[in-house]
Amino acid sequence: MYFIANWKMFGVLNTLNTLHKFIKFFRKFKKKRFAKIIYCPPNTLIRPMSKKLKNISIEVGAQNCHENENYGSFTGSVNSKMLKSVGAKYIILGHSENRQSGDTDKLINMKIKSALKANLKIIFCIGETISEKRKKATKRVLEKQIKLGLKSIKNKKQILIAYEPVWSIGSGIIPKNKDLSETVNFIKRKFKNNKVLYGGSVNSKNIDQLKLVKNIDGYLIGGASQDTKKFIDIIKKTYN
Ligand code: PGA
């Protein structure tokens, strides 16, 4: 199972002190060989965080990048090569917060290609909005996001899919188990061997319900991952 912490635009250098608690827990965690932990902090913390996690099997990822694989005159931007060079092994791409601020399917496709070239593993986010859900367009929307986002990418081995319904992110609302299981199956039918994760308001309370959806391979966790105790609780309860 994957447990991916998406810190979004939260955290300063001091915040990394909270990692000690997590490291302590994870060292002793009996089920650790079943759990893959990836922390995705803001870019400013990738380097110091990967140093802190050096001696433990926890990896670090980035949250977005510029689509250009080369260096260039793009003020304020960072490309995937640069993220790799400071310790990122993964990158979240296609997150709905970035889609909302202008990342089109085409741009996401370019970003994924550049990140694959830089040897990063991709956490590719897809998901429908509430109005699309109401129109029963979920499958059609996901299909389109997958088709365009992964266009002309042949080797999909390094790609994890994160199904994140937009209406669930940060809202405290999660899909019904039956719907979730069905959507995850739908996505899995399109990929032979890729892991499919769920994201959107995963917390230490609803994890007992979510873990009953057996075809999910892990979680992309925003808010609750910024609180070490809650993050630990989610992991523990998943295996209880
Ligand atoms: P949330 O965020 O857990 O705070 O809903 C999830 C995400 O945006 O990846």
Side-chain angles (χ1 to χ4, degrees):
M1 291 289 279
Y2 282 78
F3 298 88
I4 304 181
N6 175 11
W7 275 14
K8 310 195 179 192
M9 200 171 73
F10 293 98
V12 292
L13 212 44
N14 277 344
T15 317
L16 295 187
N17 295 334
T18 62
L19 286 181
H20 291 300
K21 203 163 135 193
F22 190 85
I23 293 170
K24 222 169 123 187
F25 149 75
F26 198 63
R27 283 228 158 90
K28 292 198 194 125
F29 186 48
K30 293 210 168 64
K31 304 274 170 65
K32 100 168 141 222
R33 65 179 190 284
F34 301 113
K36 175 98 190 144
I37 315 290
I38 302 157
Y39 269 97
C40 301
N43 289 347
T44 46
L45 298 182
I46 291 177
R47 184 68 172 172
M49 191 181 253
S50 37
K51 278 189 179 161
K52 272 200 193 292
L53 298 175
K54 204 171 61 197
N55 297 319
I56 183 158
S57 54
I58 297 175
E59 288 185 304
V60 178
Q63 301 172 12
N64 201 0
C65 67
H66 191 274
E67 68 276 15
N68 202 314
E69 63 183 85
N70 298 311
Y71 303 109
S73 303
F74 300 101
T75 303
S77 301
V78 173
N79 71 13
S80 44
K81 250 195 307 214
M82 292 161 158
L83 296 166
K84 172 84 183 187
S85 77
V86 287
K89 298 276 190 319
Y90 286 79
I91 185 163
I92 298 172
L93 289 171
H95 192 283
S96 78
E97 284 152 16
N98 298 126
R99 289 179 187 265
Q100 276 157 28
S101 53
D103 277 15
T104 58
D105 289 309
K106 189 167 178 228
L107 196 63
I108 293 162
N109 178 254
M110 291 165 80
K111 290 183 179 193
I112 293 177
K113 284 178 182 161
S114 80
L116 286 172
K117 276 206 180 134
N119 248 325
L120 290 172
K121 293 188 181 121
I122 316 293
I123 301 152
F124 174 44
C125 300
I126 55 174
E128 82 286 3
T129 63
I130 189 67
S131 68
E132 289 163 343
K133 177 180 157 65
R134 284 190 185 126
K135 283 187 225 144
K136 303 208 181 310
T138 300
K139 287 181 184 160
R140 186 162 49 77
V141 169
L142 300 182
E143 190 132 42
K144 182 167 170 262
Q145 289 174 340
I146 292 169
K147 191 169 163 228
L148 300 179
L150 301 182
K151 194 173 171 185
S152 66
I153 296 171
K154 288 207 178 66
N155 187 353
K156 300 190 180 64
K157 257 189 9 219
Q158 307 295 343
I159 300 175
L160 309 170
I161 319 295
Y163 170 56
E164 296 207 305
V166 181
W167 48 274
S168 181
I169 295 173
S171 66
I173 303 166
I174 57 168
K176 292 196 184 87
N177 282 13
K178 185 175 159 288
D179 294 347
L180 184 51
S181 165
E182 202 186 300
T183 307
V184 170
N185 268 339
F186 171 77
I187 298 167
K188 286 199 162 180
R189 279 199 294 274
K190 311 211 159 291
F191 298 92
K192 247 199 252 141
N193 300 310
N194 301 63
K195 301 281 182 195
V196 178
L197 323 184
Y198 167 75
S201 294
V202 177
N203 63 37
S204 47
K205 295 200 177 80
N206 60 26
I207 192 66
D208 289 324
Q209 180 192 323
L210 280 169
K211 74 177 186 190
L212 300 174
V213 184
K214 296 295 181 200
N215 54 357
I216 293 177
D217 301 304
Y219 307 101
L220 178 53
I221 308 159
S225 75
Q226 291 151 31
D227 180 322
T228 303
K229 189 183 170 311
K230 288 182 185 160
F231 193 43
I232 292 174
D233 273 355
I234 291 171
I235 296 165
K236 278 190 190 158
K237 283 187 174 182
T238 300
Y239 296 98
N240 265 347

